[in-house]
């Protein structure tokens, strides 16, 4: 049984810089940074070698090779998490023995915030929506939960959740297109997660678009790129009905936030679920969600997933 307290962590190393203001960076520079990112995320390190010193002491979980209900976490900084961690941490951010995350070196380890510390390395990560989401889903799978609770991967076994962090702050949606390093890394990490112990991919949690509000052409083309991204994920992961839960923007870096939000609302694909973050509290920078907001968003995402899961045809 894991402890309900978090140990002190070494400072997160800044080993990579991704363009936080992509509209002001040359295209070639963004492509070079994306290529560096692909090396870090897509290629697993040699056995026994960890890329990020802050996670060297994180033990492999005893549930590592059990079947899991998996969730791919993708997008930019509000998915990676910038919420300031209070002391003590709220219960939805504490470890749970059956809640795991896929580390950058593709080991299954205990899920403890910040979940993206060894993925989104250009900034110090904080609290995001995935931990409260996962705690709520785990609660729904307990014996005393309602009959509409999520199905368990192994017959008679308690459900084990596996989170697959892939979000990187400051990224535009074109950087998530098929063939781009971020997309290829997400697909490769998800395949590795399924291969190590089996199980199934429950959904993609997608929170991105703030960087696409800077240029009007990016904002206007967002909907088509999002639909292509969903179709590519489903094709490359072999899951034509894969649920994708996208978060409607609560803020933006530019003046075209409403255009992106309308595109998100109007994605015309089955099993794409819209969860609106507008109105949730923002931090002082008026761009990132506060810790309180991330807690609320995690609950909203879980509710959307559980309602969808209880209503869909089990044959699909």
């Amino acid at each position: 049984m894991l402890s309900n307290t978090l140990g002190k962590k070494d400072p997160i190393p800044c080993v990579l810089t991704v363009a936080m203001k992509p509209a002001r960076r040359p295209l070639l520079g963004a492509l070079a940074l994306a290529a560096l990112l692909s090396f870090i995320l897509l290629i697993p390190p040699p056995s026994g070698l960890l890329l990020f010193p802050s996670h060297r002491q994180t033990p492999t979980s005893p549930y590592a090779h059990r079947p899991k209900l998996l969730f791919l976490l993708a997008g930019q900084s509000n998915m990676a998490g910038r919420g300031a961690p209070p002391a003590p941490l709220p219960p939805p951010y504490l470890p749970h023995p059956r809640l795991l995350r896929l580390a950058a070196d593709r080991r299954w380890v205990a899920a403890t915030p910040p979940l993206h510390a060894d993925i989104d390395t250009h900034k110090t990560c904080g609290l995001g929506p995935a931990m409260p989401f996962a705690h709520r889903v785990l609660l729904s799978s307990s014996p005393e939960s309602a009959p509409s609770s999520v199905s368990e991967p192994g017959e008679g076994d308690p459900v084990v959740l596996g989170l697959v962090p892939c979000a990187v702050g400051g990224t535009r949606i074109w950087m998530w297109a098929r063939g781009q390093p971020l997309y290829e890394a997400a697909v490769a990490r998800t395949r590795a997660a399924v291969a190590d112990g089996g199980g199934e991919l429950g959904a993609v949690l997608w929170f991105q678009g703030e960087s696409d509000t800077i240029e009007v052409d990016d904002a206007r083309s967002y909907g088509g790129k999002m639909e292509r991204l969903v179709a590519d994920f489903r094709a490359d992961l072999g899951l034509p009905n894969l649920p994708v839960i996208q978060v409607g923007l609560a803020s933006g870096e530019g003046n075209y936030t409403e255009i992106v939000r309308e595109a998100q609302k109007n994605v015309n694909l089955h099993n794409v679920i819209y969860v609106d973050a507008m109105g949730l509290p923002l931090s002082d920078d008026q761009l990132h969600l506060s810790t309180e907001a991330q807690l609320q968003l995690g609950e909203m995402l879980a509710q959307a997933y559980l309602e969808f899961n209880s209503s869909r045809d089990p044959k699909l």
Side-chain angles (χ1 to χ4, degrees), residues 7-312:
K8 293 183 179 178
K9 300 171 71 70
D10 295 331
I12 299 168
C14 292
V15 299
L16 173 68
T17 299
V18 173
M20 290 301 292
K21 299 291 184 182
R24 303 185 180 98
R25 299 286 184 106
L27 179 59
L28 289 178
L31 290 173
L33 291 169
L36 175 60
L37 183 65
S38 71
F39 176 79
I40 292 176
L41 287 183
L42 192 55
I43 303 174
S47 179
L49 176 63
L50 297 184
L51 291 173
F52 305 97
S54 62
H55 287 270
R56 282 180 184 160
Q57 303 304 318
T58 307
T60 301
S61 167
Y63 289 95
H65 304 299
R66 287 272 302 277
K68 305 169 195 69
L69 180 60
L70 303 165
F71 294 94
L72 170 59
L73 315 177
Q76 57 182 110
S77 55
N78 271 317
M79 175 56 75
R82 298 292 188 262
L89 279 174
Y93 286 105
L94 296 177
H96 187 286
R98 291 185 282 111
L99 177 53
L100 312 181
R101 76 173 184 93
L102 191 71
D105 63 355
R106 300 187 188 176
R107 289 182 309 132
W108 284 112
V109 299
T112 58
L115 295 177
H116 283 77
D118 55 355
I119 299 294
D120 186 16
T121 57
H122 68 292
K123 289 272 189 172
T124 298
C125 293
L127 303 183
M131 286 290 287
F133 164 85
H135 272 277
R136 179 67 180 85
V137 173
L138 271 179
L139 179 63
S140 77
S141 70
S142 63
E144 60 272 16
S145 61
S148 61
S149 62
V150 296
S151 58
E152 299 177 357
E155 187 66 29
D157 295 329
V159 66
V160 178
L161 293 194
L163 302 177
V164 185
C166 292
V168 175
T171 54
R172 298 187 188 185
I173 198 168
W174 70 261
M175 298 177 73
W176 290 90
R178 177 189 271 164
Q180 294 295 332
L182 286 169
Y183 175 87
E184 298 300 330
V187 170
R189 282 173 54 76
T190 302
R191 287 173 175 166
V194 173
D196 191 355
E200 63 176 291
L201 182 60
V204 176
L205 305 186
W206 175 261
F207 193 170
Q208 188 278 336
E210 292 91 344
S211 292
D212 290 279
T213 67
I214 298 171
E215 301 289 340
V216 66
D217 289 343
D218 290 338
R220 288 173 176 166
S221 64
Y222 190 91
K225 291 176 181 175
M226 183 63 194
E227 291 185 1
R228 172 46 50 193
L229 173 64
V230 173
D232 288 342
F233 269 143
R234 289 172 172 172
D236 290 340
L237 295 173
L239 297 169
N241 298 300
L242 174 66
V244 175
I245 308 177
Q246 65 162 342
V247 180
L249 295 185
S251 60
E253 291 188 66
N255 297 321
Y256 304 107
T257 302
E258 283 305 317
I259 295 178
V260 174
R261 280 177 48 81
E262 284 302 310
Q264 292 174 321
K265 293 176 187 177
N266 293 308
V267 169
N268 188 26
L269 293 173
H270 70 286
N271 292 359
V272 175
I273 305 154
Y274 180 78
V275 173
D276 198 349
M278 181 59 74
L280 293 180
L282 299 175
S283 60
D284 291 342
D285 63 10
Q286 294 300 300
L287 179 63
H288 296 108
L289 296 184
S290 67
T291 298
E292 175 191 353
Q294 291 287 16
L295 277 165
Q296 293 180 56
L297 179 60
E299 286 284 336
M300 292 162 63
L301 290 169
Q303 188 65 26
Y305 171 74
L306 293 169
E307 289 179 359
F308 171 81
N309 193 68
S310 65
S311 64
R312 65 175 170 172

